[in-house]
Amino acid sequence: MGIFPEQFADIEAVGAPWALASYNDRQAKRHASTMAELETFYETVFPRSQEVLAYCNSFDIDDWPDEVKALMNMLYSLVLVSFAVEVWKQPRVPDTGAASFEAFDEPAV
Amino acid sequence: MKVERPKKPDIGSWTEQYPHLGTADVDYTDSVCPEFYERERDAIFRKAWIHVGRVEELPRVGSYFTKEYKVCDTSIIVARGQDKKIRAFHNICSHRGNKLVWEEFPNDETRGTTRVFQCKYHSWQYNLDGTLKQATREEEFFNFDRCRYGLAEISCDVWEGFIFINLDPTPEQTLKEFLGEMGEGLIDYPFHEMTQAYCFRAHIKSNWKVFADSFAEAYHTPYMHGKMSPEMAEDMVMADGIAFKMMGMHNTTSFRHVPSDIEQATPIEQLTQCGLYGPWKKPDLGGNLTPPGQNLSNHPDWGIDSHQIFPNFAIIIWERGWYHTWQFWPLNVDEHIFECRQYFVPPKNASERLAQEMATITTREYAAQDANTLEATHSMLKARIKTHLPLCDQELALRNLHYHVNEWVNGRRPGAVAAE
Ligand code: FES
Ligand SMILES: [Fe+2]
């Protein structure tokens, strides 16, 4: 039994490890990944992202089931990783060796 | 593409409208000198009104949060009482001085809801209004008068839902007087409808003013952030302020919206329907969306206003219907905690939620560039090889901040003048 609904079972192996509930965890995973790993995630998930979002939109936001939460968390990771892939062409923001941000208050989902 | 050059005032520059600020190079010793920092602590951070949070963080009777205020070696409890009133107290037990409210790590901020504040040491209990409810084994004390041992209250007031404190037991100005024209100019803006908060912070190895400076000008934007905004990198003037207004120690700068941010969207921007200026779809908002203090020149391409509130706070309002705040909490002359809070109307569906995620990540990505550069700047300012630095017309808000920091440090603050 996966954490994604059946129609997204094909992206689960790559996508599910990125279904992390906090910005701090998603950012840590991004920084711990190689560019090849980030590209694999982006290239696997991005083509399905509209479909994933449409699926999530069919649920009431105040009542998201766990599978929707997991898909949304994966999409939040996609946003984060897209900067590495689309803009910076490297895992970190350039010239930010010392800077690290910590989220201290964020929406529950 | 090129944009129209913003029209400068007849006198020739924004800066020269304020003759007291001058146009000379600015002395940055104020950002690296330990003695100057010591003076700032008393002259500014114990005298000015300081923002600590939003009323929405205290939704009900008994809601509280703590705020570390290292610049004055204290910690603050902000709480909503039985009478719904918001009060602030030094976070210190009246018995033997233990820190009253904390979880796990004494230096971490915390929040919650409670009926009483109970000390972890000998269990003294305080009411939400700061009065001592109960001292354990009171009969062991001598001539014990409960009224004498309430919490030390801190002046606290609210403007447009923003909670401010003042460490001066008898502030020389009310919060309204302190905010003056800046406060008047934003009245009835619907801040209270934007309650979906995304907050992050970082420990930064620079003087607090060095970071405030970096967010107070957009001159650097096309260069430092060029990759995120290729259009700006093509036409540097696009980032320029379209109107500047110094209001004593506070100031507002208006900026334009980059023309084709939607047409030139990246793949992720298309997916999320959000770009550099926030979610493309504006939320429905009540209140006054065009208060007089906003979009100072009524520019048709207005995109952002930066409202800098002295000394360490700024509210940035976006035309797209959201806002964020910056705040700089000094730790010592060389370090501070940087805090950013972004506020949106609560999302109605997954698409709106994802657009907000994109907006917050966009901010974090470019703020990371700012943050890291600061350490490089501060570390070399400390060498004191270059002490007097040229500030251009786009850097007027920095000139204003350093001017007023020096005024306050030298005892020339508005309330003090009135009191004489
Ligand atoms: S120090 Fe708080 S009860 Fe003793
Ligand atoms: Fe910047």
Side-chain angles (χ1 to χ4, degrees):
Chain A
M1 255 313 268
I3 60 168
F4 288 177
E6 200 156 336
Q7 67 262 49
F8 301 116
D10 57 320
I11 58 168
E12 174 148 353
V14 173
W18 286 93
L20 300 166
S22 79
Y23 166 81
N24 295 335
D25 291 345
R26 296 189 288 269
Q27 184 72 309
K29 185 163 173 65
R30 165 189 175 183
H31 287 159
S33 300
T34 63
M35 209 50 208
E37 288 164 339
L38 297 180
E39 278 160 3
T40 301
F41 170 62
Y42 180 88
E43 281 155 19
T44 307
V45 171
F46 198 91
R48 303 293 301 284
S49 55
Q50 287 288 4
E51 228 180 304
V52 171
L53 188 57
Y55 176 82
C56 294
N57 270 329
S58 68
F59 292 85
D60 178 354
I61 191 166
D62 296 319
D63 206 12
W64 280 348
D66 286 348
E67 65 201 34
V68 172
K69 288 179 189 163
L71 289 170
M72 288 303 289
N73 284 331
M74 177 191 69
L75 290 181
Y76 305 153
S77 285
L78 181 66
V79 167
L80 198 55
V81 168
S82 77
F83 279 90
V85 175
E86 292 180 7
V87 185
W88 312 122
K89 323 283 183 210
Q90 62 177 51
R92 289 188 88 90
V93 183
D95 297 331
T96 59
S100 88
F101 291 155
E102 176 211 5
F104 64 93
D105 195 358
E106 58 188 344
V109 287
Chain B
M1 88 176 267
K2 298 259 188 228
V3 296
E4 198 186 312
R5 275 43 204 153
K7 186 175 157 7
K8 292 209 181 191
D10 291 340
I11 196 164
S13 69
W14 303 104
T15 307
E16 286 161 291
Q17 297 179 102
Y18 307 98
H20 59 283
L21 299 178
T23 53
D25 294 355
V26 171
D27 185 356
Y28 265 68
T29 309
D30 68 4
S31 300
V32 294
C33 169
E35 293 77 37
F36 191 91
Y37 176 74
E38 286 305 315
R39 293 169 69 195
E40 281 181 344
R41 299 175 68 180
D42 285 340
I44 297 175
F45 290 95
R46 284 184 192 279
K47 290 286 180 192
W49 286 94
I50 304 289
H51 166 260
V52 290
R54 285 282 310 169
V55 291
E56 291 83 13
E57 294 174 66
L58 303 173
R60 59 190 76 85
V61 168
S63 298
Y64 68 89
F65 62 82
T66 66
K67 185 77 226 162
E68 292 303 294
Y69 199 52
K70 297 275 188 241
V71 63
C72 293
D73 293 319
T74 192
S75 164
I76 296 165
I77 306 169
V78 185
R80 195 184 284 276
Q82 291 293 347
D83 55 0
K84 308 259 170 74
K85 193 175 167 218
I86 294 173
R87 295 182 182 80
F89 310 98
H90 287 281
N91 191 1
I92 304 165
C93 178
S94 305
H95 175 223
R96 270 186 24 230
N98 186 24
K99 190 175 208 167
L100 183 60
V101 180
W102 54 278
E103 314 294 338
E104 303 297 333
F105 300 99
N107 286 323
D108 284 359
E109 293 174 356
T110 183
R111 62 182 58 210
T113 307
T114 189
R115 289 159 164 276
V116 290
F117 297 115
Q118 179 167 334
C119 183
K120 295 181 197 290
Y121 208 163
H122 314 90
S123 276
W124 282 28
Q125 290 186 351
Y126 301 85
N127 294 306
L128 297 168
D129 65 1
T131 51
L132 179 61
K133 180 166 191 262
Q134 179 187 313
T136 40
R137 302 188 57 202
E138 209 175 285
E139 69 284 0
E140 286 287 315
F141 288 86
F142 306 96
N143 304 319
F144 194 81
D145 178 3
R146 212 175 283 170
C147 301
R148 287 179 55 210
Y149 300 107
L151 298 176
E153 192 161 353
I154 297 171
S155 309
C156 181
D157 202 355
V158 175
W159 165 80
E160 294 296 306
F162 294 96
I163 306 166
F164 286 75
I165 55 101
N166 191 321
L167 250 50
D168 188 342
T170 52
E172 292 158 343
Q173 291 187 298
T174 62
L175 176 59
K176 194 170 165 18
E177 289 164 347
F178 174 84
L179 294 172
E181 196 183 349
M182 163 69 85
E184 296 286 319
L186 294 177
I187 278 187
D188 289 336
Y189 186 77
F191 293 112
H192 63 281
E193 292 188 40
M194 303 178 213
T195 53
Q196 175 96 344
Y198 301 73
C199 309
F200 65 96
R201 66 180 150 220
H203 183 149
I204 306 284
K205 292 199 186 71
S206 89
N207 184 268
W208 64 279
K209 296 186 293 302
V210 174
F211 208 160
D213 284 355
S214 135
F215 283 135
E217 51 92 353
Y219 170 38
H220 75 278
T221 309
Y223 314 105
M224 190 193 287
H225 309 301
K227 270 198 183 156
M228 292 184 70
S229 184
E231 268 185 293
M232 272 190 196
E234 245 170 61
D235 180 9
M236 271 60 88
V237 172
M238 210 179 278
D240 279 7
I242 49 177
F244 295 76
K245 188 175 183 186
M246 305 298 113
M247 290 164 272
M249 62 251 184
H250 316 299
N251 75 81
T252 296
T253 310
S254 299
F255 300 94
R256 80 171 78 226
H257 191 289
V258 167
S260 42
D261 74 313
I262 296 185
E263 295 94 89
Q264 300 187 3
T266 61
I268 196 72
E269 288 174 341
Q270 283 167 20
L271 172 70
T272 58
Q273 303 279 292
C274 173
L276 212 46
Y277 290 76
W280 296 349
K281 187 173 137 232
K282 273 203 256 180
D284 298 326
L285 285 164
N288 186 1
L289 286 174
T290 53
Q294 185 162 289
N295 183 11
L296 295 170
S297 56
N298 288 317
H299 198 287
D301 300 328
W302 173 69
I304 316 169
D305 268 354
S306 164
H307 305 282
Q308 261 193 299
I309 295 177
F310 185 86
N312 68 336
F313 185 50
I315 303 173
I316 291 79
I317 299 180
W318 300 71
E319 186 269 339
R320 290 256 172 87
W322 63 288
Y323 77 97
H324 76 259
T325 63
W326 310 122
Q327 198 153 11
F328 311 96
W329 299 100
L331 297 173
N332 58 52
V333 64
D334 298 321
E335 291 172 278
H336 71 277
I337 301 288
F338 159 64
E339 219 173 74
C340 173
R341 299 166 182 242
Q342 295 169 276
Y343 296 96
F344 302 83
V345 171
K348 291 194 287 294
N349 53 46
S351 287
E352 291 185 8
R353 172 64 182 84
L354 189 64
Q356 294 178 2
E357 186 70 19
M358 177 66 185
T360 177
I361 297 303
T362 303
T363 301
R364 290 172 204 205
E365 296 286 300
Y366 74 68
Q369 297 187 299
D370 295 299
N372 207 52
T373 304
L374 296 178
E375 302 201 3
T377 305
H378 183 82
S379 65
M380 292 323 292
L381 287 176
K382 269 174 82 78
R384 302 206 202 183
I385 304 297
K386 302 279 187 187
T387 53
H388 289 68
L389 308 178
L391 297 183
C392 74
D393 208 21
Q394 295 303 318
E395 295 167 304
L396 169 56
L398 293 55
R399 189 182 288 280
N400 198 57
L401 175 63
H402 287 261
Y403 174 84
H404 285 282
V405 163
N406 278 273
E407 287 289 286
W408 279 61
V409 160
N410 289 304
R412 292 189 293 271
R413 51 183 188 273
V417 175
E420 267 160 25

